[in-house]
């Protein structure tokens, strides 16, 4: 088989944009998309725009040999997760891509295919961006734009004492995937290994649940878990001015994570509670709404588990295991610490 060793330099900046990043047809709600100095977007009447941005940096967020098809999808999905936490409807996104000239064209093509996949999965359209060279790492920066009916955002600051703390999905799988990837766990075999890696590579933004909870006014506050359960819960407590007690035994773990916890005990528990990149939602639910919240979650096919309760004390995350307090080391990820 002949090895295709073309790089992106064979297309050049404009060729790359034209060939890989321009949609074949004009997307909905975009009077002017890629190709002019800026895009013009039509925000639905009585909606407000909701905007977020997140970057993936080679060497910090992904290894040089990461699969570009999955990487593109992850770059979009981590942004979608932020809009899910706000209860917003995602619509458009911008992509700023910095690539070394030596990047294989095949890499860029696979990356582009990953974007198309995410666009189809989540009904969003690429409306602009920036393409630059890089002397070092690949940097992928995405800005996602969505909308919400006026004044209806679910924020971090609305939790009240007595509200229930609930979480979607399972916690800690991505952290195990990462530990495995960087060689900090003995190599796992087969299906479990694949499961943890996939959870790290393709997080599931909880858009349906976020939007339904916004529409039905079921959550007083929400945050997505990007830095770790303990750290992100701490952010929500601080913003809301409430404390929280978490029942560690109630935290939902996947079957593979349970196996690992049984085999490796507390060292692993620490990782599950503080590891980032789950992109599940933590929600403050008024006690009287628990039943409806469970019904709506079931209708969105999203697992939802009650794991604690907010209280009027200082903004602090208290972890209780078998009734007694436990502590974790570093609560979560911090870039410059
Ligand atoms: P300018 O120099 O005026 O900022 P550019 O030459 O950088 O414009 O970009 C030309 C057009 O291509 C713009 O509409 C821009 O949004 C779009 N674009 C550039 N890079 C990307 C990219 N990676 N993905 C999507 N659109 C892009
Ligand atoms: Mg310009």
């Amino acid at each position: 088989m002949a090895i295709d060793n073309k790089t992106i330099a064979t297309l050049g900046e404009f060729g790359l944009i034209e060939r890989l990043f321009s949609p074949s047809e004009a997307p909905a709600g975009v009077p002017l998309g890629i190709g002019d100095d800026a895009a013009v977007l039509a925000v639905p009447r009585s909606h407000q725009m909701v905007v977020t941005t997140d970057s993936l940096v080679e060497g910090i967020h992904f290894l040089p040999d990461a699969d570009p098809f999955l990487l593109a999808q992850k770059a979009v999905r981590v942004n979608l997760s932020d809009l899910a936490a706000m209860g917003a409807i995602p619509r458009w996104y911008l992509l700023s891509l910095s690539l070394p000239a030596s990047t294989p064209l095949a890499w860029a093509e696979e990356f582009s295919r990953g974007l198309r996949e995410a666009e189809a999965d989540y009904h969003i359209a690429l409306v602009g961006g920036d393409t630059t060279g890089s002397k070092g790492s690949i940097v992928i920066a995405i800005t996602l734009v969505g909308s919400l009916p006026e004044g209806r955002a679910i924020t971090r600051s609305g939790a009240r004492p007595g509200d229930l703390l609930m979480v979607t999905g399972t916690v800690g799988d991505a952290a195990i995937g990462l530990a495995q990837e960087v060689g900090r766990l003995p190599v796992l075999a087969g299906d479990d290994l694949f499961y943890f890696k996939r959870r790290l590579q393709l997080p599931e933004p909880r858009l349906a649940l976020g939007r339904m909870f916004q529409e039905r006014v079921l959550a007083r506050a929400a945050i997505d878990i990007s830095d770790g359960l303990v750290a992100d819960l701490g952010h929500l407590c601080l913003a809301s001015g409430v404390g929280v007690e978490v029942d560690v035994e109630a935290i939902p773990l996947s079957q593979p994570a349970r196996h690992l916890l049984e085999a490796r005990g507390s060292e692993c528990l620490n990782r599950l509670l503080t590891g980032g990149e789950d992109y599940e939602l933590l929600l403050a639910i008024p006690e009287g709404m628990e039943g409806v919240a469970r019904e709506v979650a079931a209708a969105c096919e999203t697992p939802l588990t009650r794991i604690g309760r907010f209280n009027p004390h200082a903004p602090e995350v208290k972890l209780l295991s078998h009734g007694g307090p436990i502590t974790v080391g570093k609560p979560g990820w911090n870039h410059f610490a």
Side-chain angles (χ1 to χ4, degrees):
M1 194 178 78
I3 295 170
D4 183 356
N5 54 9
K6 277 192 193 144
T7 67
I8 55 169
T10 59
L11 281 184
E13 177 188 338
F14 299 106
L16 200 64
I17 297 169
E18 171 76 30
R19 180 142 145 216
L20 298 181
F21 300 118
S22 302
S24 47
E25 53 192 272
V30 185
L32 192 59
I34 292 173
D36 217 301
D37 289 312
V40 179
L41 307 173
V43 183
R45 188 189 285 269
S46 80
H47 274 220
Q48 292 171 318
M49 273 217 258
V50 189
V51 185
T52 185
T53 189
D54 256 305
S55 311
L56 297 185
V57 179
E58 181 185 340
I60 304 282
H61 301 98
F62 63 92
L63 298 173
D65 65 355
D67 177 342
F69 176 66
L70 297 174
L71 203 53
Q73 291 181 74
K74 178 164 180 175
V76 176
R77 287 176 180 221
V78 300
N79 280 280
L80 288 165
S81 175
D82 280 325
L83 288 203
M86 306 297 291
I89 305 158
R91 298 186 184 277
W92 311 292
Y93 72 103
L94 297 135
L95 166 70
S96 290
L97 198 54
S98 300
L99 299 173
S102 59
T103 305
L105 184 56
W107 190 98
E109 283 170 343
E110 277 300 285
F111 186 83
S112 162
R113 199 167 68 82
L115 294 179
R116 297 285 108 89
E117 183 92 358
E119 289 164 13
D121 286 348
Y122 298 104
H123 313 289
I124 52 173
L126 183 59
V127 295
D130 195 28
T131 308
T132 74
S134 165
K135 293 286 179 207
S137 322
I138 293 175
V139 180
I140 304 156
I142 285 185
T143 301
L144 179 68
V145 184
S147 78
L148 261 176
E150 239 166 78
R152 296 292 292 276
I154 307 172
T155 65
R156 294 180 178 187
S157 58
R160 296 286 166 267
D163 285 351
L164 306 178
L165 169 64
M166 301 188 89
V167 65
T168 61
T170 59
V171 171
D173 296 321
I176 297 172
L178 179 65
Q180 183 80 136
E181 193 160 274
V182 299
R184 277 202 222 112
L185 265 183
V187 176
L188 303 167
D191 290 352
D192 284 5
L193 174 60
F194 183 78
Y195 172 80
F196 291 126
K197 281 202 166 173
R198 264 297 180 271
R199 289 277 287 158
L200 177 67
Q201 291 165 326
L202 285 183
E204 186 75 63
R206 300 300 188 178
L207 285 160
L209 183 135
R211 183 175 174 178
M212 289 286 274
F213 276 40
Q214 174 267 114
E215 285 173 358
R216 307 275 300 262
V217 201
L218 291 174
R220 269 207 269 253
I223 189 169
D224 70 326
I225 306 178
S226 51
D227 297 335
L229 182 141
V230 175
D232 287 313
L233 184 53
H235 297 149
L236 189 148
C237 284
L238 202 59
S240 293
V242 294
V244 72
E245 277 188 357
V246 180
D247 173 6
V248 171
E249 278 70 46
I251 295 174
L253 301 180
S254 65
Q255 206 47 259
R258 276 186 194 288
H259 286 155
L260 202 63
L261 192 60
E262 278 157 23
R264 299 190 58 87
S266 65
E267 171 221 344
C268 180
L269 180 66
N270 205 71
R271 214 183 275 291
L272 293 169
L273 295 175
T274 62
E277 304 210 65
D278 286 322
Y279 298 101
E280 296 294 349
L281 300 183
L282 290 166
L283 301 139
I285 308 293
E287 186 160 31
M289 301 284 201
E290 182 182 6
V292 192
R294 287 186 185 282
E295 277 167 31
V296 171
C300 321
E301 295 177 19
T302 307
L304 184 68
T305 310
R306 172 177 167 173
I307 61 169
R309 189 188 286 274
F310 292 94
N311 60 52
H313 308 312
E316 195 191 336
V317 178
K318 281 207 173 127
L319 301 171
L320 299 177
S321 178
H322 303 293
I326 62 162
T327 53
V328 290
K330 222 173 102 189
W333 180 258
N334 179 333
H335 273 282
F336 304 111

